[in-house]
Amino acid sequence: QVQLVESGGGLVQAGGSLRLSCAASGIILSINVMGWYRQAPGKQRELVADIASGGITNYADSVKGRFTISRDNAKNTVYLQMNSLKPEDTGDYYCNLASGFRSFWGQGTQVTVSS
């Protein structure tokens, strides 16, 4: 089994920045995808960004140019640098690791962006 622990959430003003981290532990296959999802109040959970072990990235249109996802394969850790934050970025952010038929989720970290 795999455990994912997120950190870095908080309260910021619009235009500010946050950096989220997610560290995975346990038995992890070297070929995998790690990503960040978010769920805003009253909305469906959506993909924010993900990154494969080989480095290929994918971003939601709403965050392109503002967020950057990166990873450290040796540490099984994924990061999300969030700049120029907007109130609509507010929500619970969840880390995900997927490989083969398995998918694992972190407990979530809250991000609140005030006007």
Side-chain angles (χ1 to χ4, degrees):
Q1 281 290 323
V2 174
Q3 297 81 45
L4 303 173
V5 180
E6 303 104 327
S7 62
L11 173 65
V12 297
Q13 288 188 286
S17 298
L18 285 172
R19 189 183 190 228
L20 306 182
S21 298
C22 172
S25 61
I27 301 174
I28 303 167
L29 297 177
S30 59
I31 301 174
N32 59 66
V33 177
M34 298 186 73
W36 290 95
Y37 293 72
R38 70 185 179 190
Q39 188 164 18
K43 295 183 179 179
Q44 194 170 340
R45 186 174 297 186
E46 64 176 353
L47 173 70
V48 178
D50 61 23
I51 181 168
S53 51
I56 297 174
T57 58
N58 182 46
Y59 294 91
D61 288 341
S62 60
V63 307
K64 287 180 179 177
R66 299 188 297 121
F67 292 9
T68 302
I69 190 168
S70 61
R71 64 185 291 165
D72 184 335
N73 289 341
K75 297 180 179 180
N76 286 316
T77 300
V78 64
Y79 307 92
L80 186 67
Q81 179 66 47
M82 305 186 293
N83 298 326
S84 301
L85 283 162
K86 304 175 180 179
E88 49 262 45
D89 295 318
T90 293
D92 293 323
Y93 284 68
Y94 298 89
C95 180
N96 176 266
L97 184 150
S99 183
F101 62 89
R102 289 190 173 273
S103 182
F104 303 91
W105 293 92
Q107 81 287 349
T109 185
Q110 190 172 58
V111 172
T112 303
V113 184
S114 62
S115 301

